Amino acid sequence: MSTVISIKLLLPKDEVYLAGSSIAGQLVLKLRSTLVDPVVKVELVGRGYLEWKEEDNPQLDYSRSTMCRNQAVFISKAQNFHINDGWLDSGVHTFDFYFSFPPGLPSTFTSKIGFISYFIQGTCSGREIVLAKEKRNLLLQGTFGNCGADMNNMDPLVVETRKDAVYLCCFSRGSVILRIYLEKNTFSPGDPIVFVTDISNRTCKYIRKVVFAVHCIVLYKGVNNRGEQRSLEDRSEVTRLESQTNTGPFQVMRVTGTLVLPKPLPITSTRMENEIMSFRYELVGTSKLPCTKSALVGRVPVIVAVPEIEEQSMENPCENEEDNSEGNDSDKDVSEKDLEASDSESSE
């Protein structure tokens, strides 16, 4: 029977942290009996990893694939707690911890090829044996830094695209013109993107629907089995809107739409050095030409940026890598009812 009944991390619920901000919480330890010479610590870790498979030599007659991988550690900090007299009595013990996120961290991100993740982990060990641990994933939003200041002054964007169509059934030809207007092209995660679209139908058919979506284009940079640099570009939908237009022959219709960006969201990359992934975004409008297999596609570049927060003038003295911080014992009031639910989760 383990000495540790439960271990629990107390953190704000569903909070999205900004790069350059801080995180504070408590580690709550519930012991069945006295624990001698324990090691109690909390770790903050952020890392990225990517992996994909590609054909080693497409010119060969036989299939031969190789794996491309890359990884990075963005942050790794630990806070060790000082144990008075070298032992912990039975009961409930609480330990306060504090970490600061350095500026320039990338946002939390997950795809079929790679991920960027952050987590807090609390552990209690005795005699080099881990007795209990708990891990909590964090959501982190990257910031743009000083590079994004000039991008807010960019002019509004207007993109026009045209597609011609030939109808053999009625021996006619025509075209469809799509114009997309954006008042600005720099947005923050959670912002609504309001756009205006003019659909000019110069065919003898109806245009029934236009689909709008924000696409995230990720450039992954990896290394294959022979140590060669490789890259892969992948596109995915961030948010989507379908608009029923029913634009008649030789008519022009205006459509106003709104797409809301989710949070958190990787910011648009401005530099490539030391990055395993880079991000850019497009607002894409797509309309199928009536009675054909062709589609009309308009693309507007969109910038996702978050202002960098001001650095704190004073750092918490407890926040040091491998810091020996004073932990609070059972003098703090901790509700026994709150801990009963976690008794069976983390104990070993």
Side-chain angles (χ1 to χ4, degrees):
M1 184 178 294
S2 175
T3 304
V4 181
I5 298 176
S6 66
I7 186 171
K8 187 174 183 180
L9 290 167
L10 301 182
L11 295 169
K13 187 177 180 180
D14 300 330
E15 183 170 342
V16 178
Y17 298 91
L18 283 177
S21 66
S22 60
I23 178 174
Q26 286 185 330
L27 175 68
V28 182
L29 194 63
K30 188 176 182 181
L31 301 180
R32 180 176 284 106
S33 58
T34 301
L35 186 60
V36 181
D37 294 331
V39 177
V40 182
K41 68 178 179 178
V42 176
E43 298 171 279
L44 171 63
V45 179
R47 60 194 179 193
Y49 181 80
L50 56 87
E51 178 181 285
W52 77 88
K53 183 184 293 186
E54 67 176 19
E55 291 298 322
D56 191 23
N57 193 340
Q59 286 75 32
L60 297 178
D61 294 335
Y62 57 91
S63 177
R64 183 178 180 182
S65 60
T66 181
M67 298 301 299
C68 298
R69 300 180 177 90
N70 205 346
Q71 60 184 345
V73 176
F74 302 112
I75 182 174
S76 179
K77 295 183 178 182
Q79 185 174 336
N80 286 1
F81 299 103
H82 175 72
I83 307 300
N84 293 328
D85 301 325
W87 57 275
L88 291 175
D89 203 354
S90 61
V92 177
H93 305 266
T94 64
F95 304 88
D96 297 326
F97 62 86
Y98 175 95
F99 292 105
S100 62
F101 295 100
L105 290 178
S107 303
T108 301
F109 173 76
T110 302
S111 73
K112 60 183 179 180
I113 296 175
F115 68 84
I116 297 173
S117 65
Y118 298 87
F119 64 87
I120 285 275
Q121 181 171 271
T123 58
C124 176
S125 305
R127 298 180 181 178
E128 300 182 355
I129 299 175
V130 177
L131 301 176
K133 65 180 178 180
E134 186 184 34
K135 177 180 175 181
R136 294 277 297 275
N137 292 323
L138 304 175
L139 296 177
L140 186 127
Q141 174 61 61
T143 55
F144 211 90
N146 298 327
C147 301
D150 296 334
M151 292 188 173
N152 289 322
N153 300 323
M154 286 187 171
D155 294 332
L157 287 183
V158 179
V159 171
E160 178 178 303
T161 183
R162 170 176 173 160
K163 189 76 172 181
D164 296 325
V166 178
Y167 299 100
L168 300 178
C169 58
C170 54
F171 302 101
S172 66
R173 65 177 61 238
S175 62
V176 178
I177 299 175
L178 195 69
R179 296 184 187 91
I180 303 177
Y181 303 82
L182 279 180
E183 291 186 358
K184 62 176 185 177
N185 70 329
T186 303
F187 303 89
S188 296
D191 285 353
I193 300 178
V194 181
F195 55 91
V196 177
T197 304
D198 287 338
I199 306 167
S200 180
N201 182 13
R202 300 178 181 177
T203 70
C204 58
K205 308 293 182 179
Y206 275 84
I207 297 177
R208 302 296 183 183
K209 182 174 67 174
V210 180
V211 178
F212 301 97
V214 175
H215 288 189
C216 177
I217 302 99
V218 188
L219 181 64
Y220 299 94
K221 298 192 301 181
V223 180
N224 65 10
N225 299 335
R226 295 193 298 270
E228 301 170 335
Q229 295 286 338
R230 288 289 184 267
S231 62
L232 174 68
E233 187 172 279
D234 184 61
R235 178 185 295 264
S236 61
E237 275 190 8
V238 174
T239 181
R240 177 187 178 94
L241 172 67
E242 294 187 5
S243 180
Q244 303 295 330
T245 61
N246 291 325
T247 307
F250 306 101
Q251 289 185 352
V252 177
M253 177 172 286
R254 171 161 288 191
V255 177
T256 301
T258 302
L259 290 167
V260 180
L261 295 176
K263 298 170 67 174
L265 193 65
I267 61 173
T268 300
S269 302
T270 58
R271 54 187 183 273
M272 294 295 297
E273 61 270 21
N274 300 324
E275 292 185 5
I276 64 174
M277 308 177 197
S278 62
F279 301 87
R280 61 186 177 92
Y281 296 87
E282 290 179 343
L283 171 61
V284 181
T286 306
S287 177
K288 291 185 177 180
L289 269 63
C291 302
T292 69
K293 295 182 179 180
S294 302
L296 178 66
V297 181
R299 305 181 187 275
V300 185
V302 173
I303 297 171
V304 175
V306 178
E308 190 175 69
I309 64 175
E310 295 183 1
E311 295 184 6
Q312 299 178 358
S313 58
M314 295 183 61
E315 291 187 358
N316 191 302
C318 296
E319 194 260 314
N320 283 313
E321 203 162 315
E322 299 296 339
D323 186 24
N324 294 325
S325 303
E326 282 290 336
N328 300 325
D329 287 325
S330 55
D331 297 336
K332 288 209 170 187
D333 295 331
V334 179
S335 174
E336 293 288 337
K337 294 182 179 180
D338 293 338
L339 296 173
E340 291 298 330
S342 63
D343 288 353
S344 60
E345 292 180 1
S346 307
S347 60
E348 295 184 0

